Amino acid sequence: MSYVPPDEPAPFRLTPAVLWLIALNVAVFFVQLTLQQDLPQTLGFAPEDLEASRLWTAGTYMFVHAGFWHLAFNMYSLWMFGPRLEREWGTGTFARYYLWCGLGGLVAHALLIRSGLLVGASGAIFGLMYAYGRRWPDDEVLFFGVVPMKVKHMVWGMIAVNLALGALSMVQGGDRVAYLAHLGGVAFGMLWYLRPSAPSMDRVRQRVAAAPDVGDEPPRPVPKSFPRPRERGSESDEVVEKSKAVTAKPQPAPRVAPVRPLPAAATATRAAALDLVLDKISQQGMESLTSEERRLLEETSQKLRER
Protein backbone atom coordinates (compact mmCIF):
# COMPACT_ATOMS: atom_id res chain seq x y z
CA MET A 1 0.00 0.00 0.00
CA SER A 2 1.48 3.34 -1.09
CA TYR A 3 0.17 6.85 -1.07
CA VAL A 4 -0.67 9.39 -3.77
CA PRO A 5 0.29 12.72 -2.14
CA PRO A 6 -2.18 15.62 -2.15
CA ASP A 7 -1.42 18.88 -3.91
CA GLU A 8 0.26 20.60 -0.99
CA PRO A 9 3.91 21.31 -0.16
CA ALA A 10 5.89 18.52 1.57
CA PRO A 11 2.95 16.15 2.29
CA PHE A 12 5.30 13.61 3.92
CA ARG A 13 7.22 16.06 6.08
CA LEU A 14 7.29 14.73 9.64
CA THR A 15 5.49 16.79 12.24
CA PRO A 16 6.60 16.89 15.92
CA ALA A 17 4.17 14.34 17.41
CA VAL A 18 4.56 11.91 14.50
CA LEU A 19 8.34 12.16 14.72
CA TRP A 20 8.37 11.44 18.47
CA LEU A 21 5.92 8.56 18.16
CA ILE A 22 7.95 6.88 15.43
CA ALA A 23 11.20 7.43 17.33
CA LEU A 24 9.76 6.03 20.56
CA ASN A 25 8.35 2.91 18.89
CA VAL A 26 11.61 2.22 17.04
CA ALA A 27 13.66 2.76 20.22
CA VAL A 28 11.51 0.32 22.20
CA PHE A 29 11.82 -2.27 19.42
CA PHE A 30 15.61 -1.82 19.38
CA VAL A 31 15.76 -2.45 23.14
CA GLN A 32 13.55 -5.51 22.62
CA LEU A 33 15.94 -6.96 20.01
CA THR A 34 19.20 -6.21 21.80
CA LEU A 35 18.74 -6.01 25.56
CA GLN A 36 15.46 -7.52 26.71
CA GLN A 37 13.67 -10.02 24.49
CA ASP A 38 10.74 -10.42 26.90
CA LEU A 39 9.83 -6.73 26.68
CA PRO A 40 6.40 -7.50 25.12
CA GLN A 41 5.46 -9.52 28.22
CA THR A 42 6.59 -6.60 30.40
CA LEU A 43 4.95 -3.73 28.52
CA GLY A 44 2.07 -5.54 26.82
CA PHE A 45 -1.48 -5.54 28.16
CA ALA A 46 -3.37 -8.62 29.35
CA PRO A 47 -6.93 -8.48 30.73
CA GLU A 48 -5.72 -9.89 34.05
CA ASP A 49 -3.53 -6.76 34.46
CA LEU A 50 -6.67 -4.92 35.53
CA GLU A 51 -6.75 -7.06 38.67
CA ALA A 52 -2.99 -7.23 39.21
CA SER A 53 -2.38 -3.48 39.65
CA ARG A 54 -0.60 -3.28 36.29
CA LEU A 55 -2.77 -0.48 34.94
CA TRP A 56 0.25 1.28 33.47
CA THR A 57 0.33 -1.35 30.70
CA ALA A 58 -2.75 0.42 29.27
CA GLY A 59 -0.36 3.15 28.12
CA THR A 60 2.73 1.10 27.30
CA TYR A 61 1.22 -1.71 25.23
CA MET A 62 0.92 0.45 22.10
CA PHE A 63 4.68 1.17 22.03
CA VAL A 64 5.88 -2.44 21.87
CA HIS A 65 5.37 -4.74 18.85
CA ALA A 66 5.34 -8.44 18.14
CA GLY A 67 7.86 -8.29 15.30
CA PHE A 68 9.52 -6.23 12.61
CA TRP A 69 6.68 -6.32 10.08
CA HIS A 70 4.14 -5.44 12.77
CA LEU A 71 6.21 -2.37 13.62
CA ALA A 72 6.92 -1.53 9.97
CA PHE A 73 3.26 -1.51 8.91
CA ASN A 74 2.16 0.64 11.85
CA MET A 75 4.98 3.19 11.48
CA TYR A 76 4.53 3.38 7.70
CA SER A 77 0.81 4.08 8.18
CA LEU A 78 1.60 6.67 10.85
CA TRP A 79 4.00 8.37 8.44
CA MET A 80 1.42 8.32 5.64
CA PHE A 81 -1.64 9.62 7.49
CA GLY A 82 -0.32 11.33 10.62
CA PRO A 83 1.49 14.50 9.47
CA ARG A 84 -1.41 16.02 7.55
CA LEU A 85 -3.80 15.37 10.44
CA GLU A 86 -1.37 16.93 12.91
CA ARG A 87 -0.98 20.04 10.75
CA GLU A 88 -4.77 20.28 10.54
CA TRP A 89 -5.48 19.80 14.26
CA GLY A 90 -2.32 20.93 16.03
CA THR A 91 0.17 18.78 17.91
CA GLY A 92 -1.71 18.60 21.22
CA THR A 93 -5.05 17.54 19.73
CA PHE A 94 -3.37 15.02 17.45
CA ALA A 95 -1.47 13.38 20.33
CA ARG A 96 -4.62 13.15 22.45
CA TYR A 97 -6.56 11.59 19.59
CA TYR A 98 -3.79 9.03 18.97
CA LEU A 99 -3.70 7.94 22.62
CA TRP A 100 -7.52 7.94 22.80
CA CYS A 101 -7.78 5.53 19.85
CA GLY A 102 -5.04 3.37 21.39
CA LEU A 103 -7.16 3.17 24.54
CA GLY A 104 -10.08 2.09 22.34
CA GLY A 105 -8.08 -0.90 21.12
CA LEU A 106 -7.39 -1.93 24.70
CA VAL A 107 -11.07 -1.61 25.72
CA ALA A 108 -12.21 -3.74 22.77
CA HIS A 109 -9.63 -6.41 23.60
CA ALA A 110 -10.55 -6.46 27.29
CA LEU A 111 -14.30 -6.67 26.65
CA LEU A 112 -14.43 -8.99 23.63
CA ILE A 113 -11.32 -11.19 23.73
CA ARG A 114 -10.64 -11.25 27.51
CA SER A 115 -7.46 -13.26 27.11
CA GLY A 116 -4.05 -13.15 25.50
CA LEU A 117 -1.41 -10.43 25.30
CA LEU A 118 -2.15 -7.21 23.43
CA VAL A 119 0.79 -5.32 21.90
CA GLY A 120 1.19 -2.79 19.10
CA ALA A 121 -0.13 0.58 17.96
CA SER A 122 -2.65 -0.86 15.49
CA GLY A 123 -5.70 0.45 17.38
CA ALA A 124 -4.32 4.00 17.30
CA ILE A 125 -3.27 3.62 13.64
CA PHE A 126 -6.73 2.45 12.58
CA GLY A 127 -8.19 5.46 14.40
CA LEU A 128 -5.88 7.74 12.40
CA MET A 129 -6.89 6.11 9.13
CA TYR A 130 -10.55 6.59 10.01
CA ALA A 131 -9.98 10.30 10.79
CA TYR A 132 -8.04 10.81 7.57
CA GLY A 133 -10.71 9.07 5.52
CA ARG A 134 -13.35 11.23 7.15
CA ARG A 135 -11.44 14.48 6.54
CA TRP A 136 -10.04 13.76 3.04
CA PRO A 137 -12.18 10.89 1.71
CA ASP A 138 -11.27 11.36 -1.96
CA ASP A 139 -7.48 11.21 -1.58
CA GLU A 140 -6.05 8.15 -3.32
CA VAL A 141 -3.82 5.30 -2.20
CA LEU A 142 -2.27 2.56 -4.32
CA PHE A 143 -3.47 -0.60 -2.60
CA PHE A 144 -0.64 -3.18 -2.62
CA GLY A 145 1.28 -0.58 -4.63
CA VAL A 146 -0.83 -1.25 -7.76
CA VAL A 147 -4.58 -0.70 -7.38
CA PRO A 148 -5.64 2.99 -7.09
CA MET A 149 -8.27 3.39 -4.40
CA LYS A 150 -9.85 6.29 -2.55
CA VAL A 151 -9.06 6.53 1.13
CA LYS A 152 -12.71 6.21 2.17
CA HIS A 153 -13.01 2.91 0.29
CA MET A 154 -9.77 1.59 1.75
CA VAL A 155 -10.76 2.48 5.32
CA TRP A 156 -14.21 0.89 5.18
CA GLY A 157 -12.81 -2.11 3.33
CA MET A 158 -10.23 -2.70 6.07
CA ILE A 159 -12.91 -2.27 8.73
CA ALA A 160 -15.05 -4.92 7.04
CA VAL A 161 -12.11 -7.33 6.66
CA ASN A 162 -11.05 -6.91 10.31
CA LEU A 163 -14.63 -7.39 11.48
CA ALA A 164 -14.92 -10.65 9.53
CA LEU A 165 -11.52 -11.95 10.65
CA GLY A 166 -12.21 -10.92 14.24
CA ALA A 167 -15.50 -12.81 14.31
CA LEU A 168 -13.81 -15.84 12.74
CA SER A 169 -10.97 -15.81 15.27
CA MET A 170 -13.48 -15.72 18.16
CA VAL A 171 -15.30 -18.75 16.74
CA GLN A 172 -12.05 -20.66 16.28
CA GLY A 173 -10.72 -19.84 19.73
CA GLY A 174 -8.67 -16.71 19.17
CA ASP A 175 -5.73 -15.65 17.03
CA ARG A 176 -2.40 -13.91 17.47
CA VAL A 177 -3.69 -10.88 15.53
CA ALA A 178 -6.06 -8.71 17.59
CA TYR A 179 -8.47 -7.79 14.81
CA LEU A 180 -11.16 -6.56 17.18
CA ALA A 181 -8.65 -4.29 18.91
CA HIS A 182 -8.14 -2.59 15.55
CA LEU A 183 -11.87 -1.95 15.38
CA GLY A 184 -11.78 -0.62 18.93
CA GLY A 185 -9.51 2.17 17.70
CA VAL A 186 -11.98 2.99 14.93
CA ALA A 187 -14.92 2.96 17.36
CA PHE A 188 -13.16 5.39 19.70
CA GLY A 189 -12.33 7.56 16.69
CA MET A 190 -16.05 7.75 15.92
CA LEU A 191 -16.78 8.66 19.55
CA TRP A 192 -14.20 11.45 19.32
CA TYR A 193 -16.27 13.17 16.64
CA LEU A 194 -19.42 12.95 18.77
CA ARG A 195 -17.99 15.05 21.60
CA PRO A 196 -19.38 18.58 22.11
CA SER A 197 -17.06 21.08 20.45
CA ALA A 198 -16.97 24.48 18.83
CA PRO A 199 -17.83 24.84 15.13
CA SER A 200 -15.10 23.39 12.94
CA MET A 201 -12.68 25.60 11.01
CA ASP A 202 -14.08 24.24 7.74
CA ARG A 203 -17.58 25.45 8.64
CA VAL A 204 -16.27 28.92 9.54
CA ARG A 205 -14.23 29.07 6.33
CA GLN A 206 -17.27 28.15 4.22
CA ARG A 207 -19.46 30.78 5.89
CA VAL A 208 -16.80 33.47 5.40
CA ALA A 209 -16.17 32.50 1.76
CA ALA A 210 -19.90 32.80 1.02
CA ALA A 211 -20.14 36.26 2.58
CA PRO A 212 -19.68 39.26 0.22
CA ASP A 213 -16.47 41.25 0.53
CA VAL A 214 -16.74 44.51 2.43
CA GLY A 215 -14.68 47.37 1.06
CA ASP A 216 -12.42 49.55 3.15
CA GLU A 217 -14.66 52.61 2.60
CA PRO A 218 -17.90 52.47 4.63
CA PRO A 219 -21.11 52.84 2.60
CA ARG A 220 -22.72 56.24 2.54
CA PRO A 221 -25.97 56.49 4.52
CA VAL A 222 -29.07 56.67 2.38
CA PRO A 223 -31.68 59.14 3.65
CA LYS A 224 -34.99 57.57 4.50
CA SER A 225 -36.96 60.32 2.75
CA PHE A 226 -36.31 63.56 0.96
CA PRO A 227 -37.83 66.77 2.38
CA ARG A 228 -40.50 68.43 0.36
CA PRO A 229 -39.32 71.73 -1.19
CA ARG A 230 -40.73 74.87 0.35
CA GLU A 231 -42.52 77.46 -1.66
CA ARG A 232 -40.24 80.48 -2.07
CA GLY A 233 -41.42 83.95 -1.33
CA SER A 234 -43.64 83.10 1.62
CA GLU A 235 -43.63 85.42 4.60
CA SER A 236 -42.74 82.65 7.06
CA ASP A 237 -39.67 81.75 5.04
CA GLU A 238 -38.34 85.29 5.23
CA VAL A 239 -38.72 85.32 9.03
CA VAL A 240 -36.91 82.03 9.37
CA GLU A 241 -34.03 83.13 7.15
CA LYS A 242 -33.54 86.37 9.10
CA SER A 243 -33.57 84.58 12.47
CA LYS A 244 -30.96 82.08 11.24
CA ALA A 245 -28.72 84.86 10.03
CA VAL A 246 -28.85 86.62 13.42
CA THR A 247 -28.41 83.58 15.66
CA ALA A 248 -25.91 81.64 13.55
CA LYS A 249 -22.47 81.37 15.11
CA PRO A 250 -19.41 79.60 13.73
CA GLN A 251 -19.22 76.09 15.16
CA PRO A 252 -15.91 74.29 15.76
CA ALA A 253 -15.20 71.44 13.42
CA PRO A 254 -16.26 68.11 14.95
CA ARG A 255 -13.46 65.87 16.21
CA VAL A 256 -13.18 62.68 14.26
CA ALA A 257 -12.00 59.63 16.19
CA PRO A 258 -8.95 58.04 14.61
CA VAL A 259 -9.73 54.90 12.65
CA ARG A 260 -8.21 51.87 14.25
CA PRO A 261 -6.14 50.04 11.65
CA LEU A 262 -6.88 46.40 10.86
CA PRO A 263 -4.27 43.72 11.66
CA ALA A 264 -1.30 43.51 9.33
CA ALA A 265 -2.69 40.37 7.70
CA ALA A 266 -5.88 42.20 6.63
CA THR A 267 -4.39 44.05 3.69
CA ALA A 268 -7.36 43.61 1.35
CA THR A 269 -10.61 42.62 3.06
CA ARG A 270 -11.83 41.21 6.34
CA ALA A 271 -12.64 37.90 4.66
CA ALA A 272 -9.10 37.63 3.30
CA ALA A 273 -7.66 38.37 6.74
CA LEU A 274 -9.78 35.65 8.34
CA ASP A 275 -8.72 33.20 5.62
CA LEU A 276 -5.07 33.85 6.49
CA VAL A 277 -5.81 33.27 10.19
CA LEU A 278 -7.54 29.95 9.44
CA ASP A 279 -4.61 28.80 7.31
CA LYS A 280 -2.25 29.70 10.14
CA ILE A 281 -4.33 27.61 12.58
CA SER A 282 -4.24 24.63 10.19
CA GLN A 283 -0.46 24.81 9.85
CA GLN A 284 0.74 25.93 13.29
CA GLY A 285 -2.18 25.47 15.72
CA MET A 286 -4.16 27.91 17.88
CA GLU A 287 -1.09 28.65 20.04
CA SER A 288 0.57 30.54 17.16
CA LEU A 289 -2.13 33.26 16.91
CA THR A 290 -1.42 36.81 18.00
CA SER A 291 -3.86 38.78 20.14
CA GLU A 292 -5.17 40.69 17.09
CA GLU A 293 -5.72 37.45 15.17
CA ARG A 294 -7.57 35.90 18.12
CA ARG A 295 -9.78 38.99 18.36
CA LEU A 296 -10.63 38.75 14.65
CA LEU A 297 -11.51 35.05 15.01
CA GLU A 298 -13.69 35.66 18.08
CA GLU A 299 -15.58 38.53 16.41
CA THR A 300 -16.29 36.41 13.33
CA SER A 301 -17.48 33.44 15.43
CA GLN A 302 -19.79 35.75 17.43
CA LYS A 303 -21.33 37.13 14.23
CA LEU A 304 -21.90 33.63 12.88
CA ARG A 305 -23.62 32.54 16.09
CA GLU A 306 -25.95 35.57 16.01
CA ARG A 307 -27.22 34.73 12.51
Side-chain angles (χ1 to χ4, degrees), residues 295-307:
R295 180 180 62 81
L296 176 62
L297 188 62
E298 291 174 359
E299 291 176 356
T300 305
S301 299
Q302 181 66 27
K303 290 180 180 180
L304 293 178
R305 285 193 294 267
E306 292 175 354
R307 290 183 180 181

Side-chain angles (χ1 to χ4, degrees), residues 5-70:
D7 296 330
E8 65 173 26
F12 297 130
R13 182 180 178 183
L14 289 179
T15 46
V18 172
L19 177 61
W20 278 102
L21 287 170
I22 292 177
L24 184 57
N25 280 275
V26 172
V28 171
F29 188 71
F30 177 79
V31 173
Q32 176 183 340
L33 290 180
T34 57
L35 300 178
Q36 192 172 357
Q37 285 73 23
D38 61 345
L39 202 59
Q41 287 73 26
T42 304
L43 300 181
F45 170 79
E48 52 268 22
D49 290 343
L50 298 176
E51 301 176 359
S53 300
R54 284 171 46 90
L55 297 180
W56 47 270
T57 59
T60 59
Y61 90 92
M62 66 185 78
F63 297 100
V64 60
H65 290 78
F68 172 78
W69 291 112
H70 188 199

Side-chain angles (χ1 to χ4, degrees), residues 35 54-55 58 94 100 162 181 187 192 238-239 252 256-258 262 288 295 300:
L35 300 178
R54 284 171 46 90
L55 297 180
F94 174 83
W100 170 254
N162 277 263
W192 177 273
E238 294 178 1
V239 174
V256 179
L262 291 173
S288 64
R295 180 180 62 81
T300 305

Side-chain angles (χ1 to χ4, degrees), residues 29-237:
F29 188 71
F30 177 79
V31 173
Q32 176 183 340
L33 290 180
T34 57
L35 300 178
Q36 192 172 357
Q37 285 73 23
D38 61 345
L39 202 59
Q41 287 73 26
T42 304
L43 300 181
F45 170 79
E48 52 268 22
D49 290 343
L50 298 176
E51 301 176 359
S53 300
R54 284 171 46 90
L55 297 180
W56 47 270
T57 59
T60 59
Y61 90 92
M62 66 185 78
F63 297 100
V64 60
H65 290 78
F68 172 78
W69 291 112
H70 188 199
L71 172 72
F73 174 81
N74 283 340
M75 295 303 101
Y76 179 66
S77 300
L78 176 58
W79 172 70
M80 280 204 319
F81 301 110
R84 198 175 181 194
L85 281 171
E86 184 176 349
R87 284 193 292 269
E88 178 81 4
W89 292 346
T91 298
T93 302
F94 174 83
R96 288 191 293 271
Y97 178 81
Y98 181 91
L99 297 175
W100 170 254
C101 292
L103 178 63
L106 179 146
V107 171
H109 182 80
L111 294 179
L112 301 177
I113 304 300
R114 301 180 183 179
S115 64
L117 186 68
L118 179 65
V119 295
S122 298
I125 296 300
F126 269 69
L128 291 183
M129 289 192 292
Y130 167 77
Y132 194 102
R134 181 174 178 136
R135 178 63 181 85
W136 297 284
D138 294 325
D139 281 3
E140 288 189 347
V141 294
L142 297 178
F143 201 62
F144 294 110
V146 178
V147 182
M149 180 180 298
K150 291 185 177 181
V151 173
K152 59 184 178 182
H153 298 152
M154 182 208 70
V155 170
W156 288 108
M158 295 186 71
I159 290 175
V161 169
N162 277 263
L163 182 60
L165 294 177
L168 183 62
S169 66
M170 291 181 65
V171 172
Q172 295 179 350
D175 194 280
R176 291 185 62 193
V177 181
Y179 297 107
L180 296 181
H182 302 170
L183 299 181
V186 175
F188 267 48
M190 294 177 178
L191 290 176
W192 177 273
Y193 282 94
L194 296 178
R195 76 195 194 285
S197 60
S200 65
M201 291 295 103
D202 293 332
R203 199 179 312 166
V204 174
R205 188 188 297 274
Q206 292 172 2
R207 295 290 297 273
V208 172
D213 291 341
V214 179
D216 295 333
E217 182 179 353
R220 296 179 179 179
V222 178
K224 295 183 180 179
S225 61
F226 293 94
R228 297 179 60 186
R230 296 177 180 175
E231 296 180 0
R232 295 185 175 274
S234 64
E235 186 176 344
S236 60
D237 287 340

